[in-house]
Amino acid sequence: MVTLEDLKQIVKPKLKPILWDDEKNVLTLLDQSALPFQNNYVDVRTPEEASLAIKLMKVRGAPAIGITASYGMVLSLISSKPSSLEDSISILERAKKVLDMARPTAVNLTWATSVMLESSRHAIEQGEIKSVNELITLLKVQAKKIFDDELEAELKMGLYGLEKINDGDTILTQCNAGGLATGTGIGTALAPIRVAHALGMRISVIAPETRPWLQGSRLTTYELMTDNIPVTLIADTAVGLVMYKGMVNSVMVGADRILADGHVFNKIGTFKEGVIAHELGIPFYALAPLSTFDFKSKANDVTIEERDADEVRTVRGIPIAPEGVKVYNPVFDVTPPKYVTAIITEGGIVYPPFEKNSLKLLSKER
Ligand code: MRU
């Protein structure tokens, strides 16, 4: 029986996508917009820089943007040097607005900035801190906790997800829901795959390219090849055929937002994988930490991000369509609960009916 402690020793990813320097007060991000062609790191010193890095997708993936935003909150106080605790709260409120508007769909972003703001207010109200320096120290601890909790949650999802993997399986994923997307080097959908690989199971991954931003071809393949996990790249249009031909044992995807009733918001293309998997009797799992759950919204309330038309008109700067062609570029979709076999979180595996079972899980976890 493998334990969480065992996993901490044996799952050792090589990539370090997010680094915080506590002496210099600098957040350093592996620039995902340049991978795998260049291995550049960018330094972030203000909430505005953090927000821009999220908007330009130098850092991307729901948990990774949550972690970046939490350090963006720390940096707001360090860069503005407020003179009082009252001013500190105004600065944090402003930083939260700047960070929250970077991208709309992943709930981890607003979740992380809310945790940072609320823990500051709480500590001040309770008299636990008396100075701006003490508040900065508290927020550094809180941001590190968000990062550390994410890592722990991913290892737990890895263990739960392992129950759904057999030796020799091939798993289809979507986008990049690996260590790059979470900042930890492990990932959500890729966590059980990393665990199975570390335990010596023969396992392989099929990665659709994930047009238009190519997270699958640029990032998932790079991340898995770096850690010697077998991966095959396919065009997005090949998804149906590989499933129909019996080449896929299960689908494992991440999520940017999961509603209480089991609607899963994830990278564009996920919905069709859910429908095809359902039609062909292939299990479809969404893996996400509880920070990705949104227990308040209904499916129609959620904003699906639309990005620049040139992402579709070009491939990495090279035109592939007539200049000025009209484009629609939604970058997430929603998979209704009917197509979701189970949702795997750090608290356990949630099966339908999701409304009842996810609320039960949440009350157990918090
Ligand atoms: O637009 P992106 O690259 O930020 O979208 C990322 C995804 O859709 C991921 O699947 C999701 O954030 C889960 S990450 C572990």
Side-chain angles (χ1 to χ4, degrees):
M1 173 75 183
V2 195
T3 66
L4 194 62
E5 292 314 308
D6 297 334
L7 289 191
K8 288 181 183 163
Q9 302 308 317
I10 60 172
V11 181
K12 299 267 182 221
K14 294 200 185 84
L15 292 174
K16 303 261 178 267
I18 300 181
L19 301 159
W20 169 253
D21 186 327
D22 215 28
E23 300 286 305
K24 295 189 183 140
N25 293 321
V26 178
L27 183 69
T28 303
L29 305 170
L30 175 58
D31 182 354
Q32 299 189 39
S33 65
L35 285 175
F37 314 110
Q38 287 162 11
N39 219 292
N40 296 338
Y41 279 88
V42 288
D43 286 346
V44 167
R45 291 188 170 80
T46 63
E48 288 75 16
E49 287 175 5
S51 179
L52 192 64
I54 294 169
K55 201 179 169 67
L56 298 178
M57 295 173 69
K58 289 180 184 299
V59 59
R60 36 69 47 202
I65 64 181
I67 291 165
T68 302
S70 65
Y71 279 107
M73 296 290 276
V74 175
L75 288 166
S76 72
L77 295 187
I78 293 169
S79 58
S80 307
K81 303 186 181 62
S83 53
S84 67
L85 287 172
E86 209 180 20
D87 285 354
S88 302
I89 290 298
S90 311
I91 285 167
L92 287 169
E93 282 168 349
R94 198 189 142 267
K96 178 171 166 45
K97 280 195 191 126
V98 169
L99 289 158
D100 286 356
M101 68 192 188
R103 293 189 73 190
T105 308
V107 76
N108 305 57
L109 176 57
T110 49
W111 171 83
T113 54
S114 300
V115 168
M116 298 296 281
L117 182 59
E118 289 318 315
S119 57
S120 305
R121 283 197 182 120
H122 180 82
I124 294 170
E125 274 160 26
Q126 298 300 309
E128 289 164 11
I129 48 169
K130 303 262 180 281
S131 69
V132 175
N133 278 344
E134 281 177 19
L135 180 58
I136 292 173
T137 305
L138 177 113
L139 286 185
K140 282 184 177 182
V141 171
Q142 183 60 64
K144 184 172 182 313
K145 182 170 167 9
I146 289 177
F147 198 141
D148 292 346
D149 286 353
E150 175 60 36
L151 181 78
E152 180 107 356
E154 289 168 22
L155 290 174
K156 288 182 180 167
M157 282 186 262
L159 261 189
Y160 285 117
L162 189 64
E163 294 173 24
K164 304 297 181 189
I165 296 182
N166 294 309
D167 193 30
D169 273 3
T170 297
I171 295 157
L172 181 108
T173 188
Q174 175 66 2
C175 189
N176 169 263
L180 288 164
T182 64
T184 64
I186 293 175
T188 53
L190 298 192
I193 292 162
R194 286 183 177 284
V195 169
H197 178 77
L199 293 173
M201 288 167 74
R202 289 166 304 125
I203 200 92
S204 65
V205 176
I206 293 182
E209 58 189 345
T210 316
R211 276 275 292 150
W213 213 73
L214 301 172
Q215 288 92 332
S217 61
R218 294 191 301 106
L219 307 179
T220 298
T221 53
Y222 172 72
E223 167 171 345
L224 292 173
M225 287 168 78
T226 302
D227 287 318
N228 294 319
I229 301 174
V231 56
T232 303
L233 174 66
I234 60 168
D236 292 323
T237 39
V239 161
L241 183 77
V242 298
M243 289 210 247
Y244 181 73
K245 282 183 79 172
M247 293 166 69
V248 173
N249 298 96
S250 65
V251 179
M252 289 193 173
V253 298
D256 286 77
R257 195 183 286 244
I258 299 180
L259 306 189
D261 61 7
H263 279 85
V264 174
F265 288 80
N266 192 47
K267 181 51 52 190
I268 192 83
T270 305
F271 173 41
K272 76 168 181 306
E273 289 161 4
V275 175
I276 298 169
H278 185 260
E279 183 64 28
L280 297 174
I282 299 169
F284 176 98
Y285 303 110
L287 293 95
L290 290 168
S291 51
T292 302
F293 280 69
D294 171 358
F295 283 91
K296 293 194 193 111
S297 304
K298 293 280 165 223
N300 286 338
D301 303 338
V302 179
T303 304
I304 297 220
E305 181 182 7
E306 290 177 32
R307 292 183 70 87
D308 198 283
D310 278 343
E311 286 187 355
V312 181
R313 289 190 195 118
T314 62
V315 174
R316 300 197 61 74
I318 298 172
I320 55 158
E323 210 182 317
V325 66
K326 189 177 163 202
V327 166
Y328 174 49
N329 183 21
V331 301
F332 295 98
D333 63 24
V334 53
T335 304
K338 159 179 175 187
Y339 302 109
V340 180
T341 309
I343 300 169
I344 301 177
T345 77
E346 69 269 44
I349 305 180
V350 189
Y351 296 96
F354 293 116
E355 186 94 59
K356 188 167 132 234
N357 293 340
S358 51
L359 284 172
K360 220 181 344 177
L361 177 83
L362 197 73
S363 57
K364 205 170 72 182
E365 273 294 304
R366 288 184 179 164

